[in-house]
Amino acid sequence: MKSLSGIDAGTRPASLSALHLTLRAGERLLLEDFTHTFYPGEIWCVAGPNGAGKTTLMTTLAGLARPAGGHVEVDGERIDAWPGAALARRRALMPQHSHDAFGASVLDIVLLNRFPHLTGWGWERPADRAAAQVALDTLGLAALASRDVLSLSGGERQRVALAAALCQDAPLLLLDEPLAFLDWHHQIDCLTALVQWTHALPRTIVFSCHDLNLARRFATHALLLEGNGVAHAGAARDVLSPALASRAFGYPLVLIEQGGHEALVPALPGASR
Ligand SMILES: Nc1ncnc2c1ncn2[C@@H]1O[C@H](COP(=O)(O)OP(=O)(O)OP(=O)(O)O)[C@@H](O)[C@H]1O
């Protein structure tokens, strides 16, 4: 398999592996015996209908939830064997929801994610402030650095959460619906920034997303969960195809093409496909 970085998967060390992973929600089987390896330079979109298990998978891949079967490895080591601070330097998780219990500046909120890099008394160093500034600049948030996070709009707060995850400077980023609350312009800006972020080291990004068209455009690969134990993994355009997406979402989708653009859209009732 080749990624956008142009490096053969076989010659690179794996960032993240799922080995015989089985996920359940109560009695419901979400994912069964899933084995896959994620490599640097790859941007994976996790897609699937509501309740299919995207958040459950992201949380499990981050090592914050135990799978019903199988296990996860980061850099070839079982995730449950990693010391917490060392793991936090290797992988960052942006959860689906973030709650602000108290007011603080945007810069301070982003700086909180430098905790895995702090040493001694735990005071941040110039390098930590520089990393926070880079993350804010990357997401076009520099002008908001001194604003109280409680005064931000939902979309601005979402971008701050993404900046905080970038500031952690981990080579593996797990982002649960990073585009929620964002308008199209900001969705595209964020995805463009993530593509550049991925190629810089290179890093690996796994993000969940409901917009199949943005995923087809920006992700190198896709993991489509059907929510019944079945998952499809591969090149984004192959996996997010009309046939597989129609099956996963339980609604017929068609691919329309115009002037080099492609879009998956719900089929009109009664229209020929
Ligand atoms: N603690 C829990 N106990 C029982 N069921 C749970 C629990 N947490 C999640 N679930 C169920 O697990 C299933 C998968 O949830 P999950 O949040 O992973 O789905 P998702 O694909 O991220 O959904 P969405 O697109 O709506 O965000 C859902 O049916 C949910 O109700």
Side-chain angles (χ1 to χ4, degrees), residues 25-26 28 30 48-57 96 176-177 210:
R28 232 185 96 208
L30 301 175
N50 290 137
K54 299 180 294 295
T55 294
T56 308
L57 175 62
Q96 191 171 359
D176 196 358
E177 298 207 25
H210 281 286

Side-chain angles (χ1 to χ4, degrees), residues 24 85 103 111 113 116 124 131 139 158 164 172 180 203 216-217 235-236:
R24 292 184 180 276
L111 263 175
N113 270 42
E124 73 255 7
L139 292 165
Q158 186 75 353
L172 169 63
R203 298 178 169 93
R216 282 171 57 90
R217 177 166 157 191

Side-chain angles (χ1 to χ4, degrees), residues 35 57 93 105 117 123 154 158 160 183 221 235 256:
T35 293
L57 175 62
L93 170 70
S105 76
H117 299 277
W123 299 112
Q158 186 75 353
V160 170
D183 61 54
H221 298 80
I256 57 173

